[in-house]
Amino acid sequence: MAARKKTTRAPETKEEKVQKEKVQEEKGQETTPQKASKREIPPEVIERVKKLREEIEYHNYRYYVLDSPVISDAEYDALMRELKELEAKYPELITPDSPTQRVGYPPAKEFRQVEHAEPMLSLDDAFSEEEVREFDKRVKRLLGLPEDAKIEYTVEPKMDGLAVELVYENGVFTVGSTRGDGYVGEDVTNNLKTIKSIPLRLRPLTDDAPPVPKRLDARGEVYMEKEKFKQLNEERLRRGEPPFANPRNAAAGSLRQLDPNVTAQRPLDIFFYGVGKVEGYEFKTQWEILTTLPKWGLKTNPHCRLVKGIEEAISYHHEMEKKREELPYEIDGIVIKVNDLSLWEKLGTKARSPRYALAYKFEPTQVTTQVLDIVLQVGRTGAVTPVAVLKPVKVGGVIVSRATLHNEDEIRRKDIRIGDWVLVQRAGDVIPEVVMSIKERRTGKEKPFVMPKTCPVCGSPLVRKPGEAVWRCPNKNCYAQLVRHLQHFASRNAMDIEGLGEQVAKALVDAGLVRDVGDLYYLTVEDLLQLPGFALKKAKNLYEAIQRSKKTTLARFLYALGIRHVGEVVAQILAEHFKSLDKLMNASMADLMAIPGIGPEVARSVVEFFRNERNRKTIEKLLKAGIEFEDVKEEAKEKPLKGLTFVFTGALKSMTRDEAKKKVMALGGRVASDVSRNVDYVVVGEKPGSKFQRAQRLGLKIINEDEFLKMIGEK
Ligand SMILES: [Zn+2]
């Protein structure tokens, strides 16, 4: 049963109002309607109430008449709750036509109407254990039982389908109808007859089966299995028909067909859960109903159970929430009912919902939100996947800000545009996905997605094999390149982001959160919580480390960019010389080669790097994120080799020992004649002497000529 089919749209009865006041008194709250009528109501409240009513009416129409809701049940519930709260606070605002006062929506005109012999009440929803315990307390209070009494309850999976009632007269199925507004439904007799699990005649099927009653109004929930729903939607997409948002909508849409032949082709099923009017038999308990109906051929859910006390009902909720994914059909909560039917009368009903039952819902798995952007994610295999960047929203118990769009064809088929409102789904540990776009909410500003021709990571032209839906980056090294680049960018001598090693870099790329280093600075703690093994503390630590790294030096930043041939030393020379990123970015080959220590190879690499459009965009993104260089002048005074002591052993190929010495000194370093613990680097050339062995024994840092040249920016 949908969350939306709530009873609260019925007018409050006197009894209910009295009850409410009683409860409020018990809670020690004030009810002051007199005071309320005299006070001024803020205009924004009046405006909000008006807006809420319009929205709710619209969604009622979408839901009940068109079978095509454009918001999720959870969101609808939230609107309704807000309106109810405002009306409770400002009772003067209640009008007879407020949706809170309505008795539901009329069935669509085309169907014959059927009046239910007994109203099909719908249940109040609970979303937390506290609300469920409150329900239990209220039951005991109303029955005059002590607080520690353990009530016997039946607990049942709450099917996410369409409620119907089937009238059996002398065992023969005569009329079947939808729940409608609870009092009057639509005649779907012939459609129901197409459902194979519905018996057209009841018979005692077991030895202990009681005789079939003279009249039995059996109530059940029509549903569609998840797998069959998927197949149906695939077929519909192939035929160019709009897909159903979820199995419940598919079931409702299939049952409410004017042509039963269409219904017959849809894979519908039913579970019975209760009775309405019964003549010729008297049920004593809900458990008796659940166990007797199958004896006459009416299928009930095998997961139903009898429990003692509310805590057992709560455990059952947890148990079913875990089982939820593996069940072949969708359930959206559990139903808790007082087992003893004689207590039902004592407890009675308020408005249209009974006081003896409660729907304890699970976290919703579908919500609507907006697509802020569509970006590309490169996977380990080179597959390039479009990902929707969403306005963050809570679904399935976690905040979701991204959802896969699978591939280009899928986006086109579902017609998902940047700026669209979409239905997003996340069930269990499955990756969040965009189910459909809500075209009714378009403003005309939405932009269709155009698949880029090149890889967002390495710039290679993307390729797509005939017959394949996936675009791929042909550069085998692409994914690894991005991971390595991230790792280098975050390393200690670069931006120094603590906690961003290889594993985290991979996880960030896999999750589609980072496509270039610029993305790092736009990550939120919630984004990071999506990474495997990330709890709040770890996510916060990484977030803070990233934020801290924004304060850096130009030299570190240049080194972090990973420009070919620009190691730490060259980065320092460039920073010192230009003292400004802007000037460096616009420097020519000649400008660069005029700097001592910068050769043609380095100069070309630097010019090419800054000329590249993607690199410029990444840098722009980084600067926009707030990267700041500490006083560049201060930094520039420092020589890159300042404080470092070198020792040479063996012959260098590219220069004499003296030339090498001068270069080290020009960059602020010292050259010692012999090894000691004070030496930072031992440069080893051809045929090194005994200094080499002693350096090894002392565990000093030993570098070869190539590494030395890189340090001083000659390579
Ligand atoms: Zn690539």
Side-chain angles (χ1 to χ4, degrees), residues 378 455-460 462 473 475 478-479:
V378 182
C455 172
V457 173
C458 69
S460 309
L462 299 178
C473 171
N475 174 2
C478 179
Y479 172 86

Side-chain angles (χ1 to χ4, degrees), residues 1-234:
M1 209 183 290
R4 202 162 301 185
K5 289 164 193 161
K6 288 174 103 177
T7 63
T8 34
R9 261 170 258 178
E12 264 186 355
T13 59
K14 242 185 211 160
E15 180 197 15
E16 159 66 0
K17 271 181 187 150
V18 169
Q19 179 62 28
K20 201 166 167 187
E21 278 165 25
K22 217 162 76 187
V23 171
Q24 277 168 335
E25 271 165 40
E26 280 165 26
K27 281 185 183 168
Q29 286 172 354
E30 258 187 306
T31 50
T32 52
Q34 294 90 344
K35 244 188 245 168
S37 61
K38 275 177 209 151
R39 76 196 145 169
E40 289 271 314
I41 301 172
E44 63 270 20
V45 170
I46 296 173
E47 194 48 41
R48 182 65 190 152
V49 164
K50 189 173 159 242
K51 184 102 205 337
L52 282 169
R53 283 177 187 161
E54 279 168 10
E55 261 191 65
I56 291 167
E57 284 297 347
Y58 172 70
H59 294 305
N60 274 344
Y61 169 74
R62 301 275 333 175
Y63 187 88
Y64 289 111
V65 178
L66 302 182
D67 259 335
S68 169
V70 292
I71 57 171
S72 69
D73 288 351
E75 286 161 302
Y76 178 89
D77 290 347
L79 292 175
M80 204 65 172
R81 270 190 180 205
E82 191 187 343
L83 180 59
K84 270 192 265 170
E85 276 165 22
L86 285 174
E87 288 186 348
K89 211 166 156 196
Y90 304 98
E92 315 88 291
L93 290 179
I94 299 175
T95 57
D97 65 345
S98 171
T100 60
Q101 310 296 309
R102 280 180 66 90
V103 196
Y105 228 80
K109 293 267 151 44
E110 300 89 353
F111 289 95
R112 196 175 71 87
Q113 299 195 346
V114 176
E115 199 174 331
H116 302 295
E118 276 177 25
M120 289 182 80
L121 302 171
S122 62
L123 307 180
D124 274 345
D125 290 328
F127 295 91
S128 67
E129 293 184 11
E130 292 77 68
E131 287 173 278
V132 174
R133 293 198 180 98
E134 197 47 54
F135 159 79
D136 178 57
K137 272 189 202 160
R138 196 167 58 235
V139 165
K140 285 184 264 194
R141 200 163 56 225
L142 291 167
L143 294 174
L145 292 171
E147 252 183 53
D148 58 353
K150 282 190 176 167
I151 305 268
E152 204 171 47
Y153 291 110
T154 59
V155 284
E156 309 165 27
K158 187 173 179 300
M159 297 300 296
D160 199 7
L162 182 76
V164 293
E165 181 171 73
L166 287 81
V167 179
Y168 284 90
E169 285 169 295
N170 298 314
V172 179
F173 173 39
T174 51
V175 179
S177 57
T178 61
R179 186 181 165 281
D181 63 10
Y183 297 97
V184 177
E186 292 164 336
D187 185 343
V188 286
T189 311
N190 292 332
N191 307 40
L192 284 169
K193 281 181 179 169
T194 68
I195 300 175
K196 306 236 162 37
S197 52
I198 289 181
L200 299 182
R201 174 184 276 279
L202 302 183
R203 290 182 182 87
L205 297 170
T206 58
D207 291 342
D208 62 342
V212 173
K214 190 165 168 279
R215 173 171 177 149
L216 176 74
D217 292 4
R219 287 168 181 184
E221 191 92 356
V222 172
Y223 66 93
M224 191 180 287
E225 287 194 352
K226 294 186 227 176
E227 197 49 45
K228 289 172 178 163
F229 158 76
K230 237 172 90 186
Q231 288 166 8
L232 175 64
N233 257 2
E234 274 162 20

Side-chain angles (χ1 to χ4, degrees), residues 305 314-324 362:
R305 203 180 292 165
I314 290 171
S315 324
Y316 176 80
H317 180 269
H318 296 318
E319 191 187 320
M320 289 313 288
E321 192 156 34
K322 275 191 209 118
K323 255 190 211 153
R324 184 183 189 181
F362 298 142

